Amino acid sequence: MNVFETLESEVRSYSRSWPVVFDRAVGSWLYGEDGRAYLDFFAGAGALNYGHNNPVLKRALLDYIERDGITHGLDMHTTAKRDFLESVQEVLLRPRGLDYRLMFPGPGGVNTVEAALKLARKVTGRESVINFTNAFHGMTLGALSVTGNSMKRGGAGIPLVHATPMPYDNYFDGQTPDFLFFEKLLEDSGSGLNEPAAVIVETVQGEGGINAARIEWLQGLSELCKQHGILLIVDDVQMGCGRTGPFFSFEPAGIQPDIVCLSKSIGGYGLPLALTLFKPELDVWEPGEHNGTFRGINPAFVAAGAALREYWTDDTLEKATLAKGEQIARTLDDLVSEFPSAELTAKGRGLARGLELASGELADRVAKAAFERGLLMETSGPEGQVVKMMPALTISEDEVEQGMTILVEAVRTVLR
């Protein structure tokens, strides 16, 4: 591995936790070049909801490439984009009664967040955006301004402005009524709070520590935004595409955000693709006012459309995701009961799950012990204190059980 250490920047991170040279991957498994298998509870940080080298998506891609289909298309009309747009309309939007315009802002999740913030400010003529404690929205300057983690914010090198953090659900452990502080500031002309253009929120904070907002909290936030003429942006980059069960993570709350950010698994095969969805009346862009060279990667349209048609024309995947999520939750609850003095907390929704430990040091040791036993997981939270489980949605129940057996062994090894 000498070339990685001598040539690649010190900024690399995941490779430090998993010092393996990976060679191939199938389904929920990665294989090192030495042939050792690793069960993947990471799924490309949520970019591989359908697993590695999904055969259905692979076939669609190979057929498209072999017939010399367009690869790079900017925002030109192509057959691949048309098929994808039609799939979004027929499979996602129309059955849910959603009316959104689609924008392709660039290849990554941070691109859709930047586009959403820019559009909200353009529509309202206001600068300020409300974000939440422990939020994570990306690493470019606009997205960092609405991100909570101090280490990530510190990398900006300049002041991050025009954003105001508010307490996320349960930030005060239920001791303070929801939105008491936020609503008071909005209504008090002496509060000094600039009139917000938008609120940006994750329904489940992934990098923030698998913090799942209650349904009633999301409903209250939506209503508060309506009352004060504030646009609601839901960042569904990591928790969308079925991660929490339904395709959009906000569906159980019955709300309709003004703007929705999608990326990661929307590309189907792990290919780069991002979407910004917004209500038609917000489509005030001038042609070319927001663009990017890689906003039209047509193989991603092909894989994305194939994924929608394969997995989202009925509720089979949604039900399976919820069932496997409960399978993980039961094991986590058992661990909490097994170590009553260890300050463990089971967290999450769907197949976004976490086990919070007393410190980041303990969580790191658990993740390391799991890796040594052939399970890939990362940690999250402001102190890295949450062991994070995000397997592919297509993982089998047997593979879930195999992974949880390893996790239990790792936790017991560390805590005993």
Side-chain angles (χ1 to χ4, degrees):
M1 291 190 285
N2 184 57
V3 67
F4 302 110
E5 296 172 2
T6 58
L7 196 59
E8 191 176 0
S9 167
E10 292 296 327
V11 79
R12 65 192 186 279
S13 59
Y14 293 118
S15 58
R16 298 180 189 275
S17 300
W18 306 324
V20 174
V21 178
F22 293 104
D23 179 52
R24 63 188 187 91
V26 179
S28 289
W29 296 90
L30 285 93
Y31 298 87
E33 62 179 350
D34 62 357
R36 184 178 179 187
Y38 295 85
L39 183 56
D40 186 5
F41 268 39
F42 175 63
L48 293 164
N49 282 3
Y50 311 110
H52 295 272
N53 288 302
N54 182 291
V56 175
L57 311 187
K58 183 198 294 186
R59 186 70 264 159
L61 277 171
L62 290 175
D63 289 346
Y64 183 77
I65 293 168
E66 286 173 352
R67 72 169 185 81
D68 294 328
I70 297 290
T71 294
H72 182 268
L74 293 161
D75 69 352
M76 296 184 292
H77 298 324
T78 66
T79 55
K81 184 197 279 189
R82 180 177 61 200
D83 291 346
F84 172 66
L85 288 171
E86 289 174 348
S87 295
V88 169
Q89 178 77 334
E90 295 167 9
V91 177
L92 293 185
L93 301 183
R94 191 172 291 143
R96 292 165 176 78
L98 297 174
D99 185 14
Y100 288 126
R101 290 282 179 89
L102 270 67
M103 173 182 173
F104 301 99
V110 74
N111 298 111
T112 179
V113 169
E114 293 285 357
L117 297 175
K118 186 173 173 181
L119 178 61
R121 288 171 170 137
K122 179 177 174 63
V123 167
T124 63
R126 308 170 195 161
E127 295 178 353
S128 177
V129 173
I130 301 297
N131 61 297
F132 290 97
T133 51
N134 292 316
F136 178 78
H137 297 288
M139 299 297 278
T140 52
L141 291 180
L144 272 180
S145 73
V146 291
T147 287
N149 186 283
S150 59
M151 182 276 287
K152 293 179 172 65
R153 290 175 63 89
I158 61 170
L160 297 170
V161 297
H162 306 307
T164 304
M166 291 291 164
Y168 193 70
D169 188 21
N170 205 39
Y171 187 72
F172 294 112
D173 297 322
Q175 298 179 30
T176 301
D178 297 336
F179 310 118
L180 176 68
F181 182 58
F182 186 15
E183 194 163 17
K184 180 69 173 177
L185 292 179
L186 286 171
E187 295 174 352
D188 184 357
S189 60
S191 70
L193 179 68
N194 292 327
E195 192 175 18
V199 169
I200 185 167
V201 67
E202 304 154 275
T203 65
V204 180
Q205 294 180 327
E207 296 301 309
I210 309 295
N211 306 313
R214 291 167 298 138
I215 297 304
E216 55 268 31
W217 188 87
L218 294 170
Q219 292 168 337
L221 178 62
S222 177
E223 185 58 34
L224 187 63
C225 288
K226 289 177 184 176
Q227 290 173 5
H228 292 273
I230 303 169
L231 297 179
L232 177 60
I233 304 169
V234 169
D235 180 346
D236 239 359
V237 168
Q238 189 170 74
M239 296 300 160
C241 302
R243 176 53 56 184
T244 67
F247 187 87
F248 296 105
S249 70
F250 56 80
E251 289 182 55
I255 62 175
Q256 292 194 7
D258 298 290
I259 304 174
V260 181
C261 301
L262 287 176
S263 186
K264 290 192 183 283
S265 281
I266 193 62
Y269 200 71
L271 296 175
L273 180 63
L275 301 179
T276 311
L277 286 68
F278 40 82
K279 293 180 177 179
E281 62 268 24
L282 303 182
D283 193 8
V284 298
W285 295 112
E286 296 291 333
E289 193 173 14
H290 188 92
N291 58 29
T293 303
F294 293 102
R295 65 192 186 279
I297 303 175
N298 281 251
F301 293 150
V302 172
L308 294 180
R309 292 187 295 272
E310 177 70 17
Y311 293 106
W312 294 103
T313 55
D314 59 31
D315 61 0
T316 301
L317 183 63
E318 177 179 346
K319 288 180 176 178
T321 297
L322 293 172
K324 286 177 280 194
E326 289 303 311
Q327 183 182 356
I328 291 176
R330 287 191 294 271
T331 300
L332 298 182
D333 289 340
D334 289 344
L335 281 170
V336 172
S337 299
E338 183 177 345
F339 297 96
S341 63
E343 302 179 45
L344 303 181
T345 304
K347 311 177 77 174
R349 179 179 299 146
L351 279 175
R353 296 285 171 173
L355 182 67
E356 184 167 356
L357 289 98
S359 69
E361 186 267 337
L362 284 174
D364 283 341
R365 286 170 57 192
V366 168
K368 184 175 186 291
F371 169 71
E372 291 169 351
R373 291 162 172 77
L375 179 66
L376 301 182
M377 297 185 300
E378 65 171 333
T379 59
S380 68
E383 306 298 331
Q385 76 276 24
V386 179
V387 178
K388 183 179 178 185
M389 287 144 271
M390 289 183 57
L393 310 186
T394 52
I395 193 171
S396 70
E397 291 182 3
D398 287 344
E399 288 169 331
V400 169
E401 190 62 33
Q402 187 174 346
M404 297 314 292
T405 298
I406 294 174
L407 175 66
V408 169
E409 291 176 0
V411 171
R412 287 173 175 167
T413 298
V414 170
L415 296 186
R416 287 178 177 171

